[in-house]
Amino acid sequence: MTIHLDGPPTTLPLRDVRIHPDRLIGRRTEDHAVSRSLPVDAVAGDSVATMCVDVVRSALDGHDTTEKMTRVAIAAAGWAHDGVPIDTILHAFHEGLRRALDLVAARRDDASLLDGFRTAVSTSDLLCTTVTRAYIREHREVAGEHHTAVHTLASALLAGQPTATTARESGIAVAEAYSVLALWIQEHPDERDTRMNGAVVARRKLRRVQTALAQRCGERALALLSVDGGTLLIPADLLADDELDALVDSLARAARVDIMAALVPARTAEIPAAAERAHELLDMVERLDSAPGLYRFTDLALEYQLTRPGPGRAELGELLRPLDDHPELYETLRVHIANNMNRQRTARLLHIHTNTVDYRIRRVAQLTGVDPTQCSGLWQLRSAMIARSFHTRPPRRRSRPAEQGARQLTGTAS
């Protein structure tokens, strides 16, 4: 890897600089604390500035820079592994290059400056390309290892398996208690667009959600997510209960679609049962066409109990059987109850007159023998709709914690 020169070698002014690398990055170090951001071995040994000067020397002499570029790539991978921001590295390289060229320019005549500038541009491009490629490659490997560690630990917690070894190997501490969230992520409209690759759109949506989660919770949140939802384990000491609503809202904004979530707090040992209950609660609010957002078990305990299997649920469901042949009456009742019995709102949503709403509600009372305009009747009919939803409306998302773990580990979701 050689950059050919039209002029004579010009490294003489740089020979003393190698002995004093601080002269190249002194002001940058003071102003931007580069030395505090870089690993110890990068600053003390093969510093960014020194490596830059070495490459510039070889380039300006017309020598092969392959070996030095290999050292640069290895160092960049090390910085990526240590979590050094790439902009810090690139700024330091450019600063070293600029200072080195300042010293060269001070001792050259104007006629040779153009050749030196061309060499500098080529060298800068080569350095940036080498550093960025090596950095990104290593960063992806590190991110992949962390991603796998998170999935392994989350799967173990959801399965109720021992986690001490997994936590120690991954470096992720297991909290004493978690907020267990079951998530349903709505399909993005572009996923149904025949002009686009729906799978690619879905994966991009998922990556946006994962990025937003990492920005909000760092590395402590454990997630098993696919493109249509999954399970989140948020340490209880990381986010307070009232902050979880904002978290769900931020994930929805990142996904650019609605997100529905159900929350069940749990001690670490109780996570498997809590996750199963959270997904049952999410199924319920989906079947009931509830609005997007976060739902807590304590807020919907009555509805949850009404949906449990047993003779009571079956008997409640039978209350609405007379409406089976009148779907418009059932739909009007459902929308009317959801709108808190507001005639104008129900009429507007169904595109009918308010008098038609009143007529249909009277017909519901005649057919079922229960008057929805009375408090007792309204309670009975709403309970019947909740119980019946488990016979007539499948959930939009059927994944359970164990299923999600299997899907993630087999690579069906990314």
Side-chain angles (χ1 to χ4, degrees):
M1 189 180 298
T2 306
I3 299 175
H4 298 286
L5 299 176
D6 295 329
T10 57
T11 59
L12 180 61
L14 296 179
R15 289 175 185 169
D16 293 337
V17 175
R18 293 189 66 193
I19 304 174
H20 304 288
D22 290 343
R23 288 172 56 186
L24 295 179
I25 60 171
R27 190 173 71 242
R28 179 98 191 156
T29 301
E30 293 173 3
D31 294 346
H32 298 280
V34 172
S35 62
R36 290 193 298 271
S37 299
L38 295 174
V40 174
D41 59 340
V43 175
D46 245 347
S47 71
V48 175
T50 302
M51 297 179 75
C52 180
V53 172
D54 283 342
V55 175
V56 172
R57 282 171 54 87
S58 296
L60 291 176
D61 269 348
H63 294 162
D64 188 353
T65 60
T66 301
E67 182 180 349
K68 288 181 171 59
M69 283 299 176
T70 300
R71 291 172 55 227
V72 169
I74 293 173
W79 296 328
H81 186 81
D82 291 336
V84 182
I86 192 171
D87 58 332
T88 299
I89 299 169
L90 294 178
H91 280 312
F93 267 119
H94 285 124
E95 184 69 5
L97 179 64
R98 186 183 71 80
R99 298 294 182 87
L101 292 177
D102 283 347
L103 294 174
V104 172
R107 303 191 184 187
R108 298 188 67 177
D109 56 72
D110 293 341
S112 61
L113 284 180
L114 182 58
D115 288 336
F117 177 74
R118 289 172 178 165
T119 304
V121 171
S122 299
T123 305
S124 176
D125 178 64
L126 194 57
L127 279 168
C128 289
T129 302
T130 302
V131 169
T132 304
R133 185 185 296 116
Y135 187 97
I136 291 176
R137 185 186 302 116
E138 179 67 20
H139 186 270
R140 285 175 175 170
E141 291 181 4
V142 172
E145 291 173 0
H146 177 72
H147 194 60
T148 301
V150 167
H151 282 197
T152 302
L153 183 57
S155 297
L157 287 170
L158 289 168
Q161 299 172 349
T163 58
T165 302
T166 303
R168 183 168 57 252
E169 292 176 350
S170 64
I172 303 173
V174 176
E176 294 183 358
Y178 285 87
S179 296
V180 182
L181 279 76
L183 258 66
W184 172 72
I185 305 174
Q186 188 182 59
E187 186 181 46
H188 193 281
D190 289 346
E191 294 180 51
R192 299 187 296 271
D193 192 332
T194 56
R195 298 168 298 177
M196 307 184 73
N197 188 322
V200 172
V201 173
R203 287 196 297 270
R204 288 175 178 170
K205 175 187 69 177
L206 176 58
R207 281 197 293 270
R208 292 195 300 271
V209 171
Q210 291 169 330
T211 299
L213 179 64
Q215 290 173 343
R216 190 74 175 82
C217 301
E219 298 183 350
R220 295 191 62 196
L222 303 178
L224 282 181
L225 295 175
S226 65
V227 295
D228 58 354
T231 307
L232 294 183
L233 303 179
I234 310 294
D237 61 347
L238 180 62
L239 294 178
D241 181 82
D242 56 356
E243 295 178 292
L244 295 172
D245 297 89
L247 172 65
V248 173
D249 289 341
S250 66
L251 298 182
R253 287 194 299 271
R256 301 169 195 166
V257 295
D258 289 334
I259 289 182
M260 188 177 290
L263 166 65
V264 177
R267 306 284 296 178
T268 301
E270 302 167 346
I271 285 178
E276 189 65 28
R277 182 173 296 177
H279 280 274
E280 290 175 347
L281 184 62
L282 184 58
D283 280 351
M284 185 189 74
V285 294
E286 286 185 75
R287 291 172 188 269
L288 296 176
D289 285 330
S290 302
L294 178 62
Y295 292 84
R296 292 165 174 79
F297 182 78
T298 52
D299 298 331
L300 296 169
L302 175 60
E303 288 84 350
Y304 177 84
Q305 195 60 42
L306 288 171
T307 61
R308 298 306 87 201
R313 188 177 78 177
E315 187 66 25
L316 276 173
E318 286 298 309
L319 186 61
L320 295 173
R321 182 173 291 279
L323 302 182
D324 286 349
D325 296 330
H326 305 276
E328 76 286 355
L329 298 182
Y330 183 89
E331 182 64 9
T332 300
L333 177 63
R334 185 188 69 80
V335 174
H336 203 38
I337 291 176
N339 286 327
N340 247 358
M341 307 300 283
N342 186 302
R343 297 168 63 249
Q344 288 76 17
R345 192 178 305 162
T346 300
R348 184 168 60 252
L349 288 175
L350 295 177
H351 306 289
I352 58 179
H353 196 276
T354 52
N355 289 341
T356 304
V357 174
D358 293 338
Y359 168 75
R360 290 182 179 180
I361 293 302
R362 286 197 299 271
R363 286 285 294 151
V364 167
Q366 292 171 359
L367 291 173
T368 63
V370 181
D371 187 358
T373 62
Q374 302 295 319
C375 289
S376 58
L378 176 62
W379 189 91
Q380 280 186 283
L381 290 171
R382 184 173 184 276
S383 299
M385 295 188 77
I386 293 172
R388 207 164 197 254
S389 67
F390 274 69
H391 294 290
T392 60
R393 296 180 64 96
R396 289 167 285 188
R397 172 211 42 81
R398 296 178 178 273
S399 300
R400 282 291 184 270
E403 298 172 12
Q404 293 151 11
R407 293 172 63 186
Q408 292 287 347
L409 295 175
T410 54
T412 56
S414 57

